[in-house]
Amino acid sequence: MQDVSFERRAQLNSGAPSSHLMETLCVDFAELMRVAVPQVDAATLLAMQGAQSEGIVRRMQRAGELLAVKLGDDGFAQLAQHSSDTVRGWACYLLARLPHLDLAQRLERIKPLADDPHYAPREWAWLALRPQMAAELEHSIEQLKPWTLAPPENLRRFASESLRPRGVWCAHIKALKDYPELALPLLEPLQADPSRYVQDSVANWLNDASKSQPDWVRGVCARWQQSSNPATWRICQRALRSLA
């Protein structure tokens, strides 16, 4: 983070997209909110400033909470179209805080951000909705099944990444650590996906599961490897890396 110059930080705080994670971590959320969402009041900016020392995920959650209160449903479209990937990430967390939407509605509305050309909103999209998806696990799996067949690789990857048993920067999902077979309706359609982005997510999903259910993962990979598809073999090799 120390390598990000003062000039570059000023650009980020004015709405420029980040180039890598360190730049994202350098963003002053209160300053960016002041510029990107000029209708917010001083109290909101002060509350956002007070969260600046917290971790990045908590700051994203806090921004979503504050903006959901101030902007409501109309704020989603405003934020989702902004040039800053961080602001588009706020749109994900605002969407997660709108009380009148059910999971199917949230998933439908978040699709453009789950397929965002910038990596960061794609990550914020699943991180923002994961708590609700974990709480409504069976319903979430049913809702995500069509995503495994979606033409955009980013949406197929969302179907796998959003419900990883252990995940990254998020709470674990105990039910999937104990019973990973619940997610087979999402994993099976992706076992030979041509996208390496999707392959890596499926492999990481299975690697997560191998920490608690190694025999189950070995069995899945043994069954999948009856195929001669190179994508399937690559997934399984990566999935079994912790068991080698």
Side-chain angles (χ1 to χ4, degrees):
M1 291 176 60
Q2 294 176 346
D3 293 334
V4 180
S5 69
F6 177 82
E7 291 77 14
R8 182 56 179 154
R9 291 176 189 239
Q11 293 173 351
L12 295 167
N13 294 339
S14 296
S18 68
S19 300
H20 50 76
L21 177 59
M22 290 302 104
E23 289 191 347
T24 300
L25 296 176
C26 286
V27 173
D28 184 324
F29 277 26
E31 179 60 19
L32 176 59
M33 189 176 290
R34 183 187 67 80
V35 173
V37 196
Q39 63 266 52
V40 299
D41 56 20
T44 300
L45 295 177
L46 185 62
M48 191 71 261
Q49 188 176 33
Q52 186 63 23
S53 62
E54 298 186 24
I56 183 65
V57 175
R58 178 57 193 146
R59 278 187 284 152
M60 294 297 294
Q61 293 170 339
R62 186 63 175 141
E65 293 167 359
L66 292 169
L67 292 171
V69 171
K70 289 299 176 183
L71 305 182
D73 203 325
D74 293 341
F76 177 75
Q78 175 186 347
L79 302 178
Q81 297 172 12
H82 200 275
S83 60
S84 167
D85 52 283
T86 297
V87 175
R88 297 200 300 280
W90 293 347
C92 300
Y93 282 93
L94 179 150
L95 183 68
R97 299 295 297 183
L98 295 177
H100 61 282
L101 300 178
D102 61 24
L103 180 61
Q105 292 170 318
R106 295 187 209 278
L107 286 170
E108 183 61 31
R109 292 183 65 178
I110 212 165
K111 276 184 179 179
L113 293 165
D115 193 29
D116 196 279
H118 193 287
Y119 76 91
R122 298 198 299 266
E123 298 303 308
W124 298 130
W126 70 260
L127 279 164
L129 297 192
R130 180 176 164 99
Q132 184 177 6
M133 288 192 288
E136 303 176 28
L137 187 56
E138 292 185 14
H139 182 48
S140 299
I141 291 170
E142 191 64 29
Q143 289 292 319
L144 289 173
K145 282 166 62 176
W147 291 48
T148 65
L149 305 176
E153 65 176 7
N154 294 331
L155 297 187
R156 301 196 305 275
R157 191 254 189 181
F158 182 103
S160 171
E161 194 71 15
S162 60
L163 291 178
R164 279 177 56 180
R166 295 173 183 267
V168 179
W169 287 1
C170 57
H172 294 180
I173 301 177
K174 187 177 186 303
L176 291 177
K177 290 199 295 185
D178 293 344
Y179 306 102
E181 63 272 15
L182 293 173
L184 280 176
L186 302 179
L187 301 176
E188 294 280 7
L190 301 175
Q191 65 176 280
D193 198 280
S195 165
R196 287 205 166 200
Y197 191 46
V198 179
Q199 292 170 22
D200 287 347
S201 180
V202 175
N204 289 337
W205 202 109
L206 291 171
N207 185 62
D208 281 359
S210 74
K211 309 292 178 55
S212 53
Q213 300 295 335
D215 291 341
W216 180 83
V217 173
R218 289 190 183 97
V220 168
C221 288
R223 176 165 55 82
W224 285 6
Q225 286 178 309
Q226 293 177 18
S227 162
S228 59
N229 190 295
T232 305
W233 277 76
R234 181 176 183 273
I235 289 172
C236 291
Q237 287 178 333
R238 292 178 61 83
L240 297 169
R241 63 186 184 271
S242 296
L243 302 177

